[in-house]
């Protein structure tokens, strides 16, 4: 069993912990939190050993009636791999701790790419992370774009990708985020960071991205235009993408006309927290005009990187190849 520690038990960390626990070849050593909030209480209630991430604050957990198993240093020492799910910028500060105990670590997409030896997407470049000590699992939007572009590159070749990202203002629990009643070019200058980030997976890809931020919390939306090297029909592209396990091509007859209904569908499926681990791609939006492909896809920012973290653990520990890991992860989670 691969022993996994998770530093940070928030939006991503708690989902990764549950996903790791569901895997047949992994176990959760414990999770680390900086403060005794409701997520810390829930971690203990769900059976996870809880570690204090900041020594000076460790006594706060006892004061709040929450039992801890020790300090984060002990968690790192006991783990085969650490998943750092701390807020952006903190992961880079934690790298020294992981190196001190010679424990490989995964970081999230909010960190700069240079925090790690390689940026990772299971469908795009699994092999590049094999045996690496520091791996960055790219952001939710980059994950979604990489999943889409990988099969298109392999099957048809990609001359140019252009993506407009309509981005949620914040996660449901991020009450301090915005805008509240506005639509913002974000950033105003081109490109947004997503294009260069995709190029950390596909270094030779020609891609332009621009972003908007809107007053929503449910999901991101991508308007995608890809100029292909070939001229397949829309039906051929649809068949290709329907064969991708982490792309859900939404059937027209489902009547899912927006991200709200897509999230509701995930809840009706019994998905934990209503998570949508796959790209939600509207099948009827797939259109070909000559060699130009157009489509819309939705990305659940809270969860689509979760299976990627699981696969990255296997890549780092050299315990499976890409196809085997993706299949195992998918079967365990019900993707």
């Amino acid at each position: 069993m691969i022993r996994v520690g998770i530093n940070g038990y928030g939006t991503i960390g708690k989902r990764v912990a549950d996903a790791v626990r569901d895997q047949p070849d992994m176990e959760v050593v414990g999770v680390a939190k900086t403060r005794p909030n409701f997520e810390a209480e829930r971690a203990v209630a769900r059976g996870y050993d809880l570690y204090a991430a900041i020594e000076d604050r460790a006594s706060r957990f006892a004061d709040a009636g929450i039992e801890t198993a020790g300090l984060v240093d002990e968690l790192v020492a006991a783990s085969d791999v650490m998943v750092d799910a701390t807020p952006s910028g903190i992961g880079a500060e934690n790298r020294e701790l992981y190196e001190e105990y010679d424990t490989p670590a995964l970081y999230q997409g909010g960190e700069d790419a240079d925090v790690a030896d390689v940026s990772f997407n299971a469908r795009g470049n699994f092999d590049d992370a094999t045996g690496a000590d520091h791996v960055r699992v790219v952001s939710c939007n980059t994950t979604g774009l990489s999943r889409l572009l990988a099969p298109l590159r392999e099957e048809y070749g990609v001359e140019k990708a252009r993506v407009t990202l309509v981005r949620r203002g914040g996660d449901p629990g991020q009450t301090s985020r915005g805008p509240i009643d506005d639509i913002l070019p974000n950033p105003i200058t081109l490109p947004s960071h997503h294009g260069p980030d995709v190029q950390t997976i596909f270094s030779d890809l020609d891609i332009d991205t621009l972003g908007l931020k809107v007053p929503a919390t449910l999901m991101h939306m991508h308007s995608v235009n890809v100029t292909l090297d070939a001229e397949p029909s829309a039906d051929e592209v649809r068949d290709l993408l329907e064969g991708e396990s982490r792309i859900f091509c939404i059937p027209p007859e489902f009547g899912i006309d927006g991200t709200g209904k897509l999230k509701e569908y995930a809840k009706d499926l019994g998905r934990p927290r209503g998570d949508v681990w796959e790209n939600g791609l509207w099948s009827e939006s797939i259109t070909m005009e000559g060699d130009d492909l157009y489509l819309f896809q939705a990305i659940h920012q809270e969860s689509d990187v979760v299976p990627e973290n699981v696969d990255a653990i296997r890549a780092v520990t050299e315990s499976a190849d890409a196809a085997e890991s993706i299949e195992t992860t998918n079967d365990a989670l019900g993707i």
Side-chain angles (χ1 to χ4, degrees), residues 5-9 32-33 53 72 75 82-86 94 97-98:
I6 292 127
N7 192 1
Y9 190 79
K33 285 287 290 181
V72 69
L75 175 61
M82 286 297 300
V83 177
D84 190 294
T86 59
N94 290 334
L97 171 63
Y98 307 138

Side-chain angles (χ1 to χ4, degrees), residues 1-7 9 16-18 20-21 25-32 43 47-51 68-83 103 313:
M1 300 289 280
I2 305 168
R3 294 171 57 81
V4 182
I6 292 127
N7 192 1
Y9 190 79
V16 172
D18 289 352
V20 167
R21 185 164 61 179
D25 55 346
M26 299 180 189
E27 61 179 314
V28 179
V29 179
V31 302
Y48 296 123
D49 285 343
L50 179 66
Y51 291 78
T68 57
L71 299 175
V72 69
D73 303 61
E74 299 169 78
L75 175 61
V76 176
S79 300
D80 298 322
V81 180
M82 286 297 300
V83 177
T103 303
I313 291 168

